[in-house]
Amino acid sequence: MSTASLLRHVRLRLVARRPGTGFLRLNHTSAAPSSSPDSPTITVGSQTFPRDDWTNLPPHITSALPRKLHLQPSHPLSITRALIERRFPAPLYTAHNTLSPIVSVAQNFDSLGFPPDHVGRSRTDTYYINASTVLRTHTSAHQADTFRAAASPGFTIAADVYRRDAIDRSHYPVFHQMEGARMWSRREHADLAAAVRADFATLSDPGLPVEDTPQVHHEGNPLQPEHSAAEAEAVAAHLKRSLEGVVVEVFGQARAAAIAAGLPAGDPLKARWVEAYFPFTSPSWELEVWWGGEWLELLGCGVVQQAIPTAAGVPDQVGWAFGVGLERVAMLLFGIPDIRLFWSQDPRFLGQFEEGKVTRFVPFSKHPPCYKDVAFWVPRGEGEGAVGFHENDMMEVVRDVAGDRAEDVKLVDEFTHPKTGRKSLCWRINYRSLERTLTNEETNEMHEQVRAALKERYGVELR
Protein backbone atom coordinates (compact mmCIF):
# COMPACT_ATOMS: atom_id res chain seq x y z
CA MET A 1 0.00 0.00 0.00
CA SER A 2 1.48 3.30 -1.00
CA THR A 3 1.38 6.00 1.61
CA ALA A 4 1.27 8.44 -1.29
CA SER A 5 -2.19 7.12 -2.08
CA LEU A 6 -3.27 6.92 1.53
CA LEU A 7 -2.52 10.55 2.28
CA ARG A 8 -4.29 13.14 0.29
CA HIS A 9 -3.61 16.22 2.10
CA VAL A 10 0.83 16.60 2.97
CA ARG A 11 20.90 23.44 4.51
CA LEU A 12 22.85 21.73 6.71
CA ARG A 13 24.76 25.04 6.74
CA LEU A 14 23.04 28.29 7.62
CA VAL A 15 23.95 31.63 6.21
CA ALA A 16 24.72 34.35 8.70
CA ARG A 17 21.48 35.17 10.49
CA ARG A 18 20.15 38.38 11.86
CA PRO A 19 19.90 38.27 15.64
CA GLY A 20 16.86 36.35 16.84
CA THR A 21 16.31 34.35 13.66
CA GLY A 22 16.49 30.60 13.38
CA PHE A 23 14.96 29.56 10.08
CA LEU A 24 16.88 28.07 7.22
CA ARG A 25 17.96 30.64 4.67
CA LEU A 26 18.82 29.69 1.13
CA ASN A 27 22.49 29.94 0.27
CA HIS A 28 23.04 28.60 -3.21
CA THR A 29 26.78 28.96 -3.08
CA SER A 30 27.17 26.59 -0.14
CA ALA A 31 24.24 24.21 -0.29
CA ALA A 32 24.35 20.72 -1.71
CA PRO A 33 24.33 19.51 -4.41
CA SER A 34 27.92 20.60 -4.68
CA SER A 35 28.10 20.44 -8.47
CA SER A 36 26.82 23.23 -10.70
CA PRO A 37 23.88 22.71 -13.08
CA ASP A 38 26.38 22.62 -15.96
CA SER A 39 28.37 19.78 -14.41
CA PRO A 40 27.87 16.27 -15.89
CA THR A 41 27.40 14.92 -12.37
CA ILE A 42 25.41 15.81 -9.28
CA THR A 43 26.54 15.09 -5.72
CA VAL A 44 23.86 14.40 -3.14
CA GLY A 45 25.26 13.82 0.31
CA SER A 46 28.21 11.47 -0.13
CA GLN A 47 27.00 10.02 -3.43
CA THR A 48 27.66 11.25 -6.96
CA PHE A 49 25.31 10.54 -9.86
CA PRO A 50 25.35 11.34 -13.57
CA ARG A 51 23.07 14.20 -14.58
CA ASP A 52 20.59 13.89 -17.43
CA ASP A 53 17.48 15.60 -18.77
CA TRP A 54 15.44 14.40 -15.78
CA THR A 55 17.61 16.07 -13.13
CA ASN A 56 15.56 18.72 -11.30
CA LEU A 57 16.92 18.69 -7.75
CA PRO A 58 17.32 22.23 -6.32
CA PRO A 59 19.70 23.23 -3.50
CA HIS A 60 16.89 24.08 -1.07
CA ILE A 61 15.77 20.44 -1.17
CA THR A 62 19.13 18.73 -0.86
CA SER A 63 19.98 21.03 2.03
CA ALA A 64 17.13 19.46 3.99
CA LEU A 65 18.43 15.89 3.65
CA PRO A 66 20.67 15.92 6.75
CA ARG A 67 18.04 17.40 9.08
CA LYS A 68 16.09 14.19 9.89
CA LEU A 69 13.54 15.95 12.07
CA HIS A 70 11.78 12.67 12.91
CA LEU A 71 14.95 11.48 14.68
CA GLN A 72 15.61 14.57 16.82
CA PRO A 73 14.36 13.34 20.24
CA SER A 74 12.76 16.58 21.46
CA HIS A 75 11.29 17.62 18.12
CA PRO A 76 7.47 17.44 17.81
CA LEU A 77 7.72 15.14 14.78
CA SER A 78 9.98 12.72 16.64
CA ILE A 79 7.71 12.79 19.70
CA THR A 80 4.73 12.02 17.44
CA ARG A 81 6.58 9.18 15.71
CA ALA A 82 7.52 7.64 19.05
CA LEU A 83 3.92 7.84 20.29
CA ILE A 84 2.66 5.88 17.29
CA GLU A 85 5.60 3.48 17.38
CA ARG A 86 4.74 2.65 20.98
CA ARG A 87 1.68 0.78 19.72
CA PHE A 88 3.82 -1.48 17.52
CA PRO A 89 6.53 -2.86 19.84
CA ALA A 90 9.46 -5.17 19.12
CA PRO A 91 10.02 -8.01 18.52
CA LEU A 92 6.71 -8.39 16.69
CA TYR A 93 7.35 -5.13 14.79
CA THR A 94 10.65 -3.79 13.48
CA ALA A 95 10.99 0.00 13.30
CA HIS A 96 12.81 1.36 10.26
CA ASN A 97 13.65 5.04 10.77
CA THR A 98 16.99 5.54 9.02
CA LEU A 99 16.40 4.34 5.46
CA SER A 100 18.07 6.47 2.78
CA PRO A 101 15.79 8.93 0.95
CA ILE A 102 17.66 8.23 -2.31
CA VAL A 103 15.84 5.42 -4.08
CA SER A 104 15.49 4.02 -7.57
CA VAL A 105 12.52 4.70 -9.82
CA ALA A 106 11.86 0.96 -9.58
CA GLN A 107 11.60 1.15 -5.79
CA ASN A 108 9.49 4.31 -5.73
CA PHE A 109 7.08 3.48 -8.55
CA ASP A 110 7.54 0.14 -10.30
CA SER A 111 7.49 -2.04 -7.16
CA LEU A 112 4.07 -0.61 -6.31
CA GLY A 113 2.59 -0.99 -9.78
CA PHE A 114 2.44 2.70 -10.73
CA PRO A 115 1.48 2.84 -14.42
CA PRO A 116 4.05 4.47 -16.74
CA ASP A 117 1.83 7.52 -17.31
CA HIS A 118 0.95 8.09 -13.64
CA VAL A 119 1.13 11.79 -12.73
CA GLY A 120 3.30 10.98 -9.72
CA ARG A 121 6.15 10.03 -12.07
CA SER A 122 6.18 13.50 -13.63
CA ARG A 123 9.10 15.89 -13.13
CA THR A 124 6.50 18.44 -12.05
CA ASP A 125 5.66 16.27 -9.01
CA THR A 126 8.86 14.36 -8.18
CA TYR A 127 12.47 15.36 -7.51
CA TYR A 128 14.70 13.44 -9.89
CA ILE A 129 18.43 13.00 -9.36
CA ASN A 130 18.44 11.45 -12.81
CA ALA A 131 16.12 9.31 -14.94
CA SER A 132 16.61 6.22 -12.77
CA THR A 133 17.01 7.78 -9.30
CA VAL A 134 14.69 9.97 -7.21
CA LEU A 135 14.17 11.28 -3.72
CA ARG A 136 11.43 9.05 -2.34
CA THR A 137 7.94 10.52 -2.62
CA HIS A 138 6.53 8.15 0.01
CA THR A 139 7.73 5.68 2.62
CA SER A 140 6.23 2.88 0.54
CA ALA A 141 9.30 3.08 -1.70
CA HIS A 142 10.80 0.69 0.88
CA GLN A 143 7.80 -1.56 1.25
CA ALA A 144 8.71 -4.30 -1.22
CA ASP A 145 12.24 -4.54 0.18
CA THR A 146 10.86 -4.73 3.72
CA PHE A 147 8.36 -7.44 2.79
CA ARG A 148 11.14 -9.36 1.08
CA ALA A 149 13.48 -9.13 4.07
CA ALA A 150 10.74 -10.42 6.43
CA ALA A 151 12.76 -9.44 9.52
CA SER A 152 9.61 -9.71 11.65
CA PRO A 153 5.87 -10.27 11.15
CA GLY A 154 5.26 -6.53 11.27
CA PHE A 155 7.12 -3.29 10.66
CA THR A 156 6.88 0.46 10.75
CA ILE A 157 8.70 2.91 8.49
CA ALA A 158 9.09 6.59 9.39
CA ALA A 159 10.95 8.90 7.05
CA ASP A 160 11.31 12.25 5.37
CA VAL A 161 9.71 12.28 1.90
CA TYR A 162 9.99 14.77 -0.93
CA ARG A 163 7.40 16.15 -3.34
CA ARG A 164 7.04 19.33 -5.35
CA ASP A 165 4.00 20.96 -3.79
CA ALA A 166 2.07 24.13 -3.03
CA ILE A 167 3.28 26.87 -0.71
CA ASP A 168 0.89 27.45 2.18
CA ARG A 169 0.62 26.84 5.92
CA SER A 170 -0.04 23.10 5.57
CA HIS A 171 2.19 22.08 2.63
CA TYR A 172 5.96 21.78 2.40
CA PRO A 173 8.16 20.03 -0.20
CA VAL A 174 9.79 17.95 2.54
CA PHE A 175 7.46 16.23 4.95
CA HIS A 176 7.32 13.06 7.02
CA GLN A 177 5.28 9.92 6.71
CA MET A 178 4.88 6.81 8.78
CA GLU A 179 3.46 3.53 7.63
CA GLY A 180 3.09 0.15 9.20
CA ALA A 181 2.19 -3.38 8.19
CA ARG A 182 1.44 -6.72 9.81
CA MET A 183 1.69 -9.91 7.75
CA TRP A 184 0.94 -13.60 8.25
CA SER A 185 2.39 -16.48 6.23
CA ARG A 186 0.25 -19.16 4.62
CA ARG A 187 3.27 -21.46 4.81
CA GLU A 188 3.31 -21.14 8.60
CA HIS A 189 -0.45 -21.24 9.13
CA ALA A 190 -2.62 -23.88 7.46
CA ASP A 191 -5.69 -21.90 8.59
CA LEU A 192 -4.57 -18.31 8.19
CA ALA A 193 -7.90 -16.81 9.26
CA ALA A 194 -7.76 -18.76 12.52
CA ALA A 195 -4.19 -17.60 13.16
CA VAL A 196 -5.16 -13.97 12.64
CA ARG A 197 -8.17 -14.32 14.92
CA ALA A 198 -5.95 -15.84 17.60
CA ASP A 199 -3.61 -12.84 17.38
CA PHE A 200 -6.59 -10.50 17.46
CA ALA A 201 -7.65 -12.06 20.76
CA THR A 202 -4.36 -10.94 22.32
CA LEU A 203 -4.99 -7.26 21.52
CA SER A 204 -6.43 -5.20 24.34
CA ASP A 205 -9.66 -3.33 23.71
CA PRO A 206 -8.77 0.40 23.90
CA GLY A 207 -12.33 1.23 24.99
CA LEU A 208 -12.84 3.75 22.22
CA PRO A 209 -16.39 4.43 21.00
CA VAL A 210 -16.24 3.53 17.28
CA GLU A 211 -18.68 3.71 14.39
CA ASP A 212 -17.85 0.89 12.00
CA THR A 213 -18.96 0.06 8.48
CA PRO A 214 -21.78 -2.51 8.23
CA GLN A 215 -19.75 -4.80 5.93
CA VAL A 216 -16.06 -5.60 5.72
CA HIS A 217 -16.21 -6.04 1.95
CA HIS A 218 -18.70 -5.69 -0.87
CA GLU A 219 -18.71 -4.80 -4.55
CA GLY A 220 -17.73 -1.19 -3.87
CA ASN A 221 -14.93 -2.16 -1.43
CA PRO A 222 -14.10 -5.56 -2.81
CA LEU A 223 -12.59 -8.72 -1.48
CA GLN A 224 -9.46 -9.71 -3.38
CA PRO A 225 -9.73 -12.99 -5.33
CA GLU A 226 -6.61 -14.33 -3.57
CA HIS A 227 -8.30 -14.02 -0.15
CA SER A 228 -11.18 -15.85 1.43
CA ALA A 229 -13.90 -13.84 3.13
CA ALA A 230 -12.82 -15.28 6.50
CA GLU A 231 -9.21 -14.18 5.93
CA ALA A 232 -10.12 -10.63 4.90
CA GLU A 233 -12.52 -10.23 7.82
CA ALA A 234 -9.94 -11.48 10.33
CA VAL A 235 -7.20 -9.23 8.93
CA ALA A 236 -9.57 -6.23 8.94
CA ALA A 237 -10.52 -6.84 12.57
CA HIS A 238 -6.86 -7.01 13.61
CA LEU A 239 -6.07 -3.86 11.62
CA LYS A 240 -8.90 -1.83 13.11
CA ARG A 241 -8.24 -2.87 16.69
CA SER A 242 -4.53 -2.04 16.27
CA LEU A 243 -5.19 1.44 14.88
CA GLU A 244 -7.92 2.26 17.37
CA GLY A 245 -5.21 1.82 19.98
CA VAL A 246 -3.14 4.45 18.14
CA VAL A 247 -6.04 6.91 18.39
CA VAL A 248 -6.31 6.46 22.15
CA GLU A 249 -2.53 6.77 22.57
CA VAL A 250 -2.12 9.89 20.46
CA PHE A 251 -5.27 11.82 21.23
CA GLY A 252 -5.26 10.88 24.88
CA GLN A 253 -1.92 12.69 25.06
CA ALA A 254 -3.34 15.63 23.08
CA ARG A 255 -6.30 15.95 25.44
CA ALA A 256 -4.02 15.89 28.48
CA ALA A 257 -1.81 18.59 26.93
CA ALA A 258 -4.81 20.79 26.20
CA ILE A 259 -6.07 20.49 29.77
CA ALA A 260 -2.60 21.26 31.12
CA ALA A 261 -2.57 24.42 28.97
CA GLY A 262 -5.89 25.54 30.46
CA LEU A 263 -7.89 24.77 27.32
CA PRO A 264 -11.29 23.05 27.31
CA ALA A 265 -11.12 19.27 27.23
CA GLY A 266 -13.71 19.15 24.47
CA ASP A 267 -16.06 16.32 23.61
CA PRO A 268 -15.26 12.74 24.57
CA LEU A 269 -12.95 11.02 22.10
CA LYS A 270 -14.59 8.86 19.44
CA ALA A 271 -13.70 7.51 16.00
CA ARG A 272 -15.32 6.13 12.90
CA TRP A 273 -14.30 3.95 9.97
CA VAL A 274 -15.14 5.23 6.49
CA GLU A 275 -14.84 3.13 3.35
CA ALA A 276 -12.21 4.41 0.94
CA TYR A 277 -10.39 3.50 -2.24
CA PHE A 278 -6.63 3.09 -2.44
CA PRO A 279 -4.93 1.32 -5.34
CA PHE A 280 -2.71 -0.74 -3.07
CA THR A 281 -5.22 -2.10 -0.56
CA SER A 282 -8.65 -3.72 -0.78
CA PRO A 283 -10.88 -3.51 1.10
CA SER A 284 -9.75 -0.07 2.32
CA TRP A 285 -10.78 2.44 4.98
CA GLU A 286 -10.01 5.85 6.39
CA LEU A 287 -9.99 6.33 10.14
CA GLU A 288 -11.56 9.59 11.29
CA VAL A 289 -11.42 11.07 14.79
CA TRP A 290 -13.87 13.47 16.43
CA TRP A 291 -11.63 16.31 17.55
CA GLY A 292 -12.28 19.99 18.08
CA GLY A 293 -15.95 19.62 17.19
CA GLU A 294 -15.41 18.01 13.77
CA TRP A 295 -14.43 14.76 12.10
CA LEU A 296 -10.77 14.75 11.07
CA GLU A 297 -9.25 12.20 8.72
CA LEU A 298 -6.30 10.64 10.54
CA LEU A 299 -4.98 7.89 8.27
CA GLY A 300 -5.70 5.45 5.46
CA CYS A 301 -5.37 1.68 5.60
CA GLY A 302 -6.57 -1.64 4.28
CA VAL A 303 -5.81 -5.24 3.38
CA VAL A 304 -2.61 -5.25 1.31
CA GLN A 305 -3.11 -5.92 -2.39
CA GLN A 306 -1.69 -9.39 -2.87
CA ALA A 307 0.18 -8.28 -5.99
CA ILE A 308 2.65 -6.31 -3.82
CA PRO A 309 4.05 -9.15 -1.65
CA THR A 310 3.88 -11.42 -4.68
CA ALA A 311 6.03 -9.00 -6.70
CA ALA A 312 8.39 -8.80 -3.71
CA GLY A 313 8.91 -12.56 -3.86
CA VAL A 314 6.82 -13.48 -0.80
CA PRO A 315 3.44 -14.51 -2.28
CA ASP A 316 2.56 -16.46 0.87
CA GLN A 317 2.33 -13.24 2.93
CA VAL A 318 -1.14 -11.80 3.67
CA GLY A 319 -1.86 -8.81 5.88
CA TRP A 320 -2.69 -5.16 6.43
CA ALA A 321 -0.98 -1.80 6.09
CA PHE A 322 -1.61 1.83 7.05
CA GLY A 323 -0.11 5.23 6.27
CA VAL A 324 -0.20 8.51 8.21
CA GLY A 325 1.31 11.98 7.78
CA LEU A 326 3.34 12.95 10.85
CA GLU A 327 3.04 16.71 10.31
CA ARG A 328 -0.74 16.51 10.22
CA VAL A 329 -0.87 14.59 13.49
CA ALA A 330 1.77 16.75 15.18
CA MET A 331 -0.02 19.96 14.23
CA LEU A 332 -3.14 18.61 15.96
CA LEU A 333 -1.23 17.25 18.95
CA PHE A 334 0.86 20.33 19.70
CA GLY A 335 -1.38 23.05 18.25
CA ILE A 336 1.24 24.12 15.70
CA PRO A 337 -0.44 26.41 13.13
CA ASP A 338 2.15 26.58 10.34
CA ILE A 339 4.12 23.69 8.83
CA ARG A 340 7.19 25.92 8.37
CA LEU A 341 7.64 25.99 12.13
CA PHE A 342 8.81 22.37 12.13
CA TRP A 343 11.95 23.53 10.32
CA SER A 344 12.70 26.36 12.72
CA GLN A 345 15.92 26.28 14.67
CA ASP A 346 14.82 29.15 16.86
CA PRO A 347 15.15 28.18 20.55
CA ARG A 348 11.84 29.95 21.19
CA PHE A 349 10.25 27.12 19.21
CA LEU A 350 12.47 24.12 19.96
CA GLY A 351 12.74 24.99 23.65
CA GLN A 352 9.02 24.38 24.16
CA PHE A 353 9.24 20.62 23.60
CA GLU A 354 10.71 17.72 25.52
CA GLU A 355 11.24 14.09 24.57
CA GLY A 356 8.31 11.88 25.51
CA LYS A 357 5.97 14.77 26.37
CA VAL A 358 3.15 16.45 24.46
CA THR A 359 2.79 20.15 25.27
CA ARG A 360 0.78 22.85 23.51
CA PHE A 361 2.77 25.25 21.37
CA VAL A 362 2.79 28.84 22.61
CA PRO A 363 3.12 31.37 19.74
CA PHE A 364 6.05 33.71 20.23
CA SER A 365 5.35 36.26 17.49
CA LYS A 366 3.07 37.29 14.66
CA HIS A 367 4.76 39.42 12.07
CA PRO A 368 3.01 41.38 9.31
CA PRO A 369 2.52 39.92 5.82
CA CYS A 370 3.71 41.56 2.62
CA TYR A 371 1.73 40.72 -0.52
CA LYS A 372 3.23 41.13 -3.98
CA ASP A 373 1.84 40.06 -7.35
CA VAL A 374 3.68 38.79 -10.39
CA ALA A 375 1.90 38.45 -13.74
CA PHE A 376 3.26 36.98 -16.94
CA TRP A 377 2.44 35.41 -20.28
CA VAL A 378 3.15 31.68 -20.22
CA PRO A 379 5.28 30.20 -23.02
CA ARG A 380 3.70 27.46 -25.07
CA GLY A 381 4.94 23.93 -24.51
CA GLU A 382 5.27 21.20 -27.09
CA GLY A 383 2.18 20.44 -29.15
CA GLU A 384 -0.67 22.63 -30.28
CA GLY A 385 -2.04 24.73 -27.42
CA ALA A 386 0.20 23.10 -24.82
CA VAL A 387 1.41 25.28 -21.97
CA GLY A 388 5.01 24.83 -20.86
CA PHE A 389 4.58 25.90 -17.25
CA HIS A 390 3.31 23.99 -14.21
CA GLU A 391 2.07 25.50 -10.95
CA ASN A 392 4.77 23.59 -9.07
CA ASP A 393 7.36 25.40 -11.19
CA MET A 394 6.10 28.62 -9.60
CA MET A 395 6.42 27.11 -6.14
CA GLU A 396 9.99 25.98 -6.76
CA VAL A 397 11.08 29.43 -7.95
CA VAL A 398 9.63 31.10 -4.86
CA ARG A 399 11.16 28.52 -2.54
CA ASP A 400 14.54 28.86 -4.21
CA VAL A 401 14.49 32.62 -3.63
CA ALA A 402 12.54 33.15 -0.42
CA GLY A 403 12.77 29.82 1.37
CA ASP A 404 10.64 29.85 4.52
CA ARG A 405 10.06 33.58 4.21
CA ALA A 406 7.22 32.83 1.78
CA GLU A 407 4.04 31.91 3.66
CA ASP A 408 1.79 31.17 0.71
CA VAL A 409 1.52 31.53 -3.06
CA LYS A 410 -1.87 31.69 -4.76
CA LEU A 411 -3.07 31.99 -8.34
CA VAL A 412 -5.36 35.03 -8.30
CA ASP A 413 -6.04 35.55 -12.01
CA GLU A 414 -5.91 33.52 -15.19
CA PHE A 415 -6.61 34.88 -18.66
CA THR A 416 -6.44 33.47 -22.18
CA HIS A 417 -6.22 35.99 -25.02
CA PRO A 418 -9.20 35.42 -27.34
CA LYS A 419 -7.21 36.06 -30.52
CA THR A 420 -3.72 34.73 -29.85
CA GLY A 421 -4.63 31.97 -27.40
CA ARG A 422 -1.77 33.09 -25.16
CA LYS A 423 -2.27 32.41 -21.48
CA SER A 424 -1.58 34.93 -18.72
CA LEU A 425 -1.25 34.07 -15.03
CA CYS A 426 -1.11 36.31 -11.99
CA TRP A 427 0.27 34.90 -8.75
CA ARG A 428 0.09 36.56 -5.34
CA ILE A 429 3.00 35.87 -2.98
CA ASN A 430 2.71 36.47 0.74
CA TYR A 431 6.16 37.14 2.14
CA ARG A 432 6.10 36.71 5.92
CA SER A 433 8.72 35.43 8.30
CA LEU A 434 7.60 33.55 11.39
CA GLU A 435 10.41 35.10 13.41
CA ARG A 436 10.85 38.75 12.46
CA THR A 437 9.43 41.60 10.39
CA LEU A 438 10.78 41.68 6.84
CA THR A 439 11.96 45.06 5.59
CA ASN A 440 10.59 46.60 2.41
CA GLU A 441 14.04 46.48 0.87
CA GLU A 442 14.56 42.75 1.34
CA THR A 443 11.00 41.93 0.27
CA ASN A 444 11.40 43.97 -2.91
CA GLU A 445 14.75 42.30 -3.56
CA MET A 446 13.28 38.81 -3.15
CA HIS A 447 10.37 39.65 -5.43
CA GLU A 448 12.67 40.97 -8.16
CA GLN A 449 14.69 37.77 -7.89
CA VAL A 450 11.50 35.75 -8.33
CA ARG A 451 10.59 37.74 -11.45
CA ALA A 452 14.07 37.34 -12.89
CA ALA A 453 14.14 33.59 -12.17
CA LEU A 454 10.77 33.05 -13.85
CA LYS A 455 12.00 34.80 -16.98
CA GLU A 456 15.36 33.04 -17.02
CA ARG A 457 14.21 29.50 -16.25
CA TYR A 458 10.88 29.32 -18.02
CA GLY A 459 10.98 32.05 -20.63
CA VAL A 460 7.87 33.81 -19.37
CA GLU A 461 7.04 37.32 -20.60
CA LEU A 462 6.59 39.51 -17.54
CA ARG A 463 3.68 41.93 -17.52
Side-chain angles (χ1 to χ4, degrees):
M1 176 184 60
S2 169
T3 305
S5 295
L6 297 182
L7 305 171
R8 291 200 299 256
H9 313 323
V10 65
R11 300 177 168 101
L12 181 60
R13 177 180 166 193
L14 295 177
V15 300
R17 295 189 308 230
R18 290 176 174 82
T21 67
F23 275 89
L24 285 174
R25 297 281 302 280
L26 296 180
N27 182 351
H28 295 279
T29 61
S30 62
S34 60
S35 51
S36 73
D38 297 327
S39 169
T41 62
I42 177 172
T43 300
V44 185
S46 61
Q47 301 182 64
T48 300
F49 304 86
R51 285 182 181 269
D52 58 27
D53 291 342
W54 283 81
T55 305
N56 68 345
L57 194 56
H60 73 266
I61 294 299
T62 51
S63 67
L65 289 171
R67 292 290 302 277
K68 307 297 180 190
L69 303 183
H70 67 294
L71 297 180
Q72 298 179 19
S74 295
H75 194 282
L77 292 176
S78 181
I79 297 169
T80 302
R81 171 193 57 78
L83 272 178
I84 298 172
E85 237 171 47
R86 190 182 299 173
R87 302 300 305 185
F88 304 101
L92 189 59
Y93 294 87
T94 300
H96 302 277
N97 297 326
T98 59
L99 299 172
S100 172
I102 301 172
V103 298
S104 68
V105 167
Q107 287 174 297
N108 201 73
F109 297 120
D110 300 342
S111 70
L112 296 162
F114 277 71
D117 60 349
H118 192 281
V119 67
R121 293 179 180 261
S122 170
R123 292 175 73 251
T124 61
D125 281 38
T126 295
Y127 291 110
Y128 279 83
I129 296 173
N130 56 36
S132 61
T133 312
V134 299
L135 295 184
R136 62 183 165 222
T137 63
H138 45 221
T139 49
S140 296
H142 306 285
Q143 195 173 83
D145 294 335
T146 309
F147 281 146
R148 190 178 300 114
S152 57
F155 64 82
T156 60
I157 300 172
D160 44 334
V161 299
Y162 300 79
R163 246 182 259 170
R164 300 180 93 207
D165 210 340
I167 296 177
D168 59 36
R169 294 163 68 88
S170 60
H171 291 86
Y172 205 79
V174 189
F175 55 105
H176 297 77
Q177 291 182 343
M178 186 169 184
E179 68 176 72
R182 172 69 163 93
M183 308 298 285
W184 291 264
S185 171
R186 294 188 191 278
R187 290 186 302 178
E188 297 176 6
H189 305 290
D191 186 342
L192 188 134
V196 178
R197 286 196 299 270
D199 286 337
F200 170 82
T202 67
L203 299 175
S204 60
D205 185 345
L208 177 71
V210 177
E211 300 175 23
D212 204 350
T213 56
Q215 297 172 281
V216 171
H217 53 83
H218 57 83
E219 184 177 355
N221 202 16
L223 176 72
Q224 297 177 49
E226 298 91 343
H227 303 158
S228 70
E231 289 170 342
E233 290 164 7
V235 169
H238 193 283
L239 162 68
K240 292 181 177 180
R241 176 63 60 84
S242 298
L243 295 181
E244 287 162 9
V246 171
V247 171
V248 172
E249 182 79 45
V250 170
F251 285 90
Q253 292 273 355
R255 179 183 293 273
I259 293 172
L263 300 174
D267 298 331
L269 186 63
K270 59 183 178 180
R272 69 181 182 187
W273 291 100
V274 179
E275 291 181 351
Y277 167 76
F278 304 120
F280 308 103
T281 56
S282 189
S284 304
W285 301 273
E286 291 172 349
L287 178 55
E288 296 184 348
V289 178
W290 183 257
W291 184 255
E294 60 180 331
W295 287 106
L296 299 177
E297 179 187 332
L298 178 63
L299 56 81
C301 60
V303 179
V304 176
Q305 282 282 5
Q306 203 57 40
I308 296 177
T310 297
V314 285
D316 61 300
Q317 298 286 314
V318 177
W320 54 254
F322 75 89
V324 61
L326 290 181
E327 275 85 352
R328 177 172 172 77
V329 178
M331 290 172 89
L332 293 171
L333 268 177
F334 295 91
I336 295 172
D338 192 312
I339 197 169
R340 293 177 297 164
L341 278 163
F342 290 117
W343 294 89
S344 174
Q345 297 187 104
D346 191 318
R348 292 177 296 174
F349 175 75
L350 294 176
Q352 296 189 35
F353 310 107
E354 183 179 343
E355 182 178 4
K357 295 183 179 180
V358 175
T359 52
R360 298 289 294 184
F361 168 65
V362 179
F364 49 80
S365 62
K366 184 67 172 179
H367 299 286
C370 181
Y371 294 96
K372 291 189 178 293
D373 291 355
V374 57
F376 51 84
W377 294 105
V378 176
R380 293 186 184 275
E382 297 179 0
E384 182 62 29
V387 175
F389 187 84
H390 190 277
E391 63 178 324
N392 283 341
D393 296 331
M394 182 70 193
M395 306 303 166
E396 287 301 302
V397 167
V398 175
R399 282 196 170 102
D400 278 348
V401 172
D404 288 343
R405 293 169 293 176
E407 181 173 288
D408 58 67
V409 178
K410 296 179 180 179
L411 182 64
V412 294
D413 187 57
E414 185 173 351
F415 169 73
T416 301
H417 195 285
K419 293 184 178 180
T420 65
R422 297 183 71 193
K423 188 174 184 178
S424 172
L425 303 175
C426 181
W427 295 86
R428 181 160 296 156
I429 305 170
N430 177 12
Y431 297 98
R432 171 155 53 183
S433 169
L434 286 163
E435 298 183 327
R436 64 181 179 84
T437 298
L438 299 174
T439 66
N440 289 332
E441 290 78 9
E442 64 186 322
T443 303
N444 290 337
E445 181 181 356
M446 283 190 290
H447 196 63
E448 285 307 310
Q449 290 176 12
V450 167
R451 288 168 55 86
L454 286 168
K455 183 177 180 179
E456 178 182 353
R457 295 187 200 178
Y458 300 104
V460 305
E461 182 181 336
L462 297 169
R463 299 182 63 187

